[in-house]
Amino acid sequence: VGPGDGACLFGFASLRRAESRGTLGSAIYSEVIHVGIEAGENGANLATKTVSEDMGLRELNAEEGRALLEEHARRYLNLSAEEFLRRWDAHEFENPDRPEVLRVAMTIPFARS
Amino acid sequence: LPARRPYAAVRELERWLQRTAACVTPHKVVISRGGREPSLSHALPHTAKFASDPAPLGGSGLLLSVAHHYRVVRAGERGPWRVQTAGYYYGFDDADGREILAYHWHPVDVPDVPFPHIHVGPGVVRRESLSLGGLSLRHNAVRADVGRAHLPTRRIAFEDVVRLAIEQLGVEPLHAGWDAVLRETRSSFSRNRTWI
C-alpha cells in the first residue's frame, strides 16, 4: 500500500476482499484491512498496519467438539464431559446460570450437534 | 442478513463475528458441527466461539470469552435464509481467570431467566484487596445478592462488548480501523435484528 492508494489516508479504511471457493462449496474469505494510521505531507510518511482476517470459520468435527466440551467441563467444574452432560440433562445443577456452569453449557452443541 | 442459501447466511455471521473479534484479538472463531446447515426445529442451536477461549486482550490484562448461539432459519417455504441469534455469552475475566462481568442471554439453556442480563463476578474486586484481607484468589468478595443477581439489560451486540473493552476497559485495538468496523457491523445488526 503506497501513497497512491488514496483510500489509505488517516482516518479512512480501505477494505479489499478476495473471495474464493473451497471444496464442499463453502466460501472462504480472505479480507485484508489496510489502514493508514499516519500520513505526512504528500503521504510520504504514510504508515500502514495490515490485519488479515480469515473469514471462513472452521467447523469442528465431532471428535474436536467432544474434546472442547471435555476441556471446558474439566477446567470450570472439574467434571468429565460425560458427567457434566448427565447432571445437566438431569437438571442437577442448583443454579445453572452460574457463569462456570453456563460457560460449559454453551459448548454443548459442539458435542451434540 | 437474508440470503438465498443457508451457507450464505452463515457466511455473513462468520464475517461479522471474525471482523468484530479481530478488532481486539487475533484468536479465531470456530463453529459447531453442521453450523452451516438449516436448523431443525427441536435441535440444539449452532454455536460459535473462540477456538481457544478465553482470548487474551492486549494492553489490559483482560480475557474475553465468547459463545454465540444461532439458528439458520427460512422465512416461509420459499423465503430467504437468515441467521437468528438464539443466545449469547460475552464475558471478561481478569488475568487470574476470575470473571469480572458477563453478558448473558440464554432463553433455551436456562428458561427461568429468559431476559438478557449481566452478571457481576468476583473479578470486580482487585486481587490486592483480597491480599490485604488475607483472602485467597478463590474468595468471592462481591456482595452475595449482587453476585447472584441477573441484572437486566437490553440485548447486547458483540460490537458493544468490543467497544466497551476498547473505550472503557483499556484494551488496545489491533488496528486503527476498529471504530469504522464496529460502526459498520453494529449498523447492520440494528437494521436486521428481529427483537428488542
Side-chain angles (χ1 to χ4, degrees):
Chain A
V1 180
D5 199 338
C8 291
L9 295 174
F10 182 78
F12 291 85
S14 169
L15 304 180
R16 295 176 173 178
R17 182 181 308 158
E19 180 179 357
S20 61
R21 292 194 182 281
T23 57
L24 303 177
S26 64
I28 299 173
Y29 273 84
S30 173
E31 179 162 304
V32 179
I33 301 177
H34 301 275
V35 182
I37 56 175
E38 183 183 353
E41 287 187 8
N42 303 319
N45 296 324
L46 181 69
T48 63
K49 184 172 184 178
T50 301
V51 178
S52 297
E53 302 173 32
D54 179 3
M55 294 303 170
L57 304 187
R58 197 163 75 82
E59 184 179 323
L60 298 192
N61 61 34
E63 185 179 349
E64 292 169 326
R66 283 193 295 272
L68 184 69
L69 179 64
E70 181 77 25
E71 188 270 329
H72 274 57
R74 296 261 179 213
R75 188 192 334 166
Y76 293 114
L77 297 169
N78 198 27
L79 296 173
S80 68
E82 184 180 13
E83 176 63 11
F84 171 79
L85 289 172
R86 188 196 67 74
R87 294 191 191 184
W88 180 261
D89 291 341
H91 304 285
E92 288 184 8
F93 289 106
E94 196 167 313
N95 180 2
D97 190 36
R98 277 184 293 143
E100 61 270 30
V101 176
L102 200 65
R103 283 187 193 218
V104 185
M106 293 291 271
T107 65
I108 291 175
F110 281 95
R112 282 186 162 167
S113 58
Chain B
L1 295 175
R4 285 187 171 185
R5 299 186 183 282
Y7 86 84
V10 178
R11 189 176 65 194
E12 292 298 322
L13 172 89
E14 296 177 84
R15 289 189 66 241
W16 163 70
L17 269 176
Q18 196 66 71
R19 287 190 72 200
T20 304
C23 290
V24 289
T25 176
H27 278 230
K28 295 299 181 187
V29 180
V30 294
I31 57 176
S32 51
R33 187 161 55 110
R36 296 182 177 87
E37 304 296 326
S39 297
L40 303 176
S41 57
H42 296 293
L44 290 171
H46 303 312
T47 303
K49 75 191 311 296
F50 287 129
S52 178
D53 190 279
L57 305 177
S60 64
L62 298 178
L63 299 98
L64 174 63
S65 185
V66 172
H68 189 88
H69 281 185
Y70 64 94
R71 291 186 175 279
V72 182
V73 297
R74 191 170 203 177
E77 284 191 12
R78 293 176 174 272
W81 292 91
R82 59 190 308 149
V83 171
Q84 287 183 341
T85 299
Y88 58 70
Y89 183 115
Y90 308 133
F92 291 105
D93 294 349
D94 69 8
D96 297 310
R98 300 182 305 149
E99 185 168 273
I100 300 169
L101 55 89
Y103 292 98
H104 289 189
W105 179 52
H106 39 65
V108 175
D109 291 314
V110 188
D112 294 345
V113 189
F115 54 88
H117 57 275
I118 189 170
H119 285 279
V120 176
V124 298
V125 178
R126 292 183 303 168
R127 62 179 300 167
E128 295 84 356
S129 300
L130 295 176
S131 299
L132 287 172
L135 302 170
S136 78
L137 283 175
R138 297 177 64 87
H139 183 82
N140 187 347
V142 177
R143 279 176 59 117
D145 51 358
V146 174
R148 285 192 305 268
H150 306 86
L151 306 169
T153 65
R154 60 172 167 77
R155 178 176 169 182
I156 300 298
F158 185 35
E159 294 89 339
D160 299 336
V161 177
V162 173
R163 185 174 291 280
L164 167 71
I166 295 171
E167 292 187 340
Q168 301 187 56
L169 299 180
V171 170
E172 292 176 356
L174 293 188
H175 58 81
W178 66 270
D179 184 60
V181 169
L182 295 183
R183 285 181 191 278
E184 178 197 330
T185 54
R186 185 66 170 80
S187 172
S188 177
F189 167 84
S190 297
R191 284 196 306 271
N192 292 285
R193 64 186 175 184
T194 55
W195 64 286
I196 300 185

